Amino acid sequence: VKKMQEFAEQACACKDAACATKVAQDSGDWLSKNAALAAKLSAKHAEKVGAATTKMADCVTKAATGK
């Protein structure tokens, strides 16, 4: 959960598409390597990961489009 929140914060700090793309790629790589861990999350933690992922996606989109 904490790692996904860190990725969201990193994405929101990005000012350009290159930065946002790197954060998105890094988070995807991390999720792939930790899929078994993610599958074991409680509903409460899964909800927090979902919220962090949504926040990250919004920030990536904002950085990529400049909006």
Side-chain angles (χ1 to χ4, degrees), residues 1-9 12 27 30-31 37-39 41-59:
V1 174
K2 185 176 180 182
K3 189 67 173 173
M4 289 308 297
Q5 291 169 333
E6 289 173 15
F7 284 129
E9 293 300 322
C12 291
S27 70
W30 186 87
L31 281 172
L37 179 67
L41 289 175
S42 68
K44 180 180 176 183
H45 286 128
E47 185 177 325
K48 287 182 180 182
V49 168
T53 302
T54 299
K55 179 180 177 181
M56 183 181 71
D58 290 345
C59 290

Side-chain angles (χ1 to χ4, degrees), residues 14-43:
C14 288
K15 302 297 182 203
D16 59 38
C19 174
T21 300
K22 176 155 181 19
V23 173
Q25 188 172 28
D26 289 349
S27 70
D29 291 346
W30 186 87
L31 281 172
S32 293
K33 291 175 185 172
N34 293 281
L37 179 67
K40 296 178 184 177
L41 289 175
S42 68

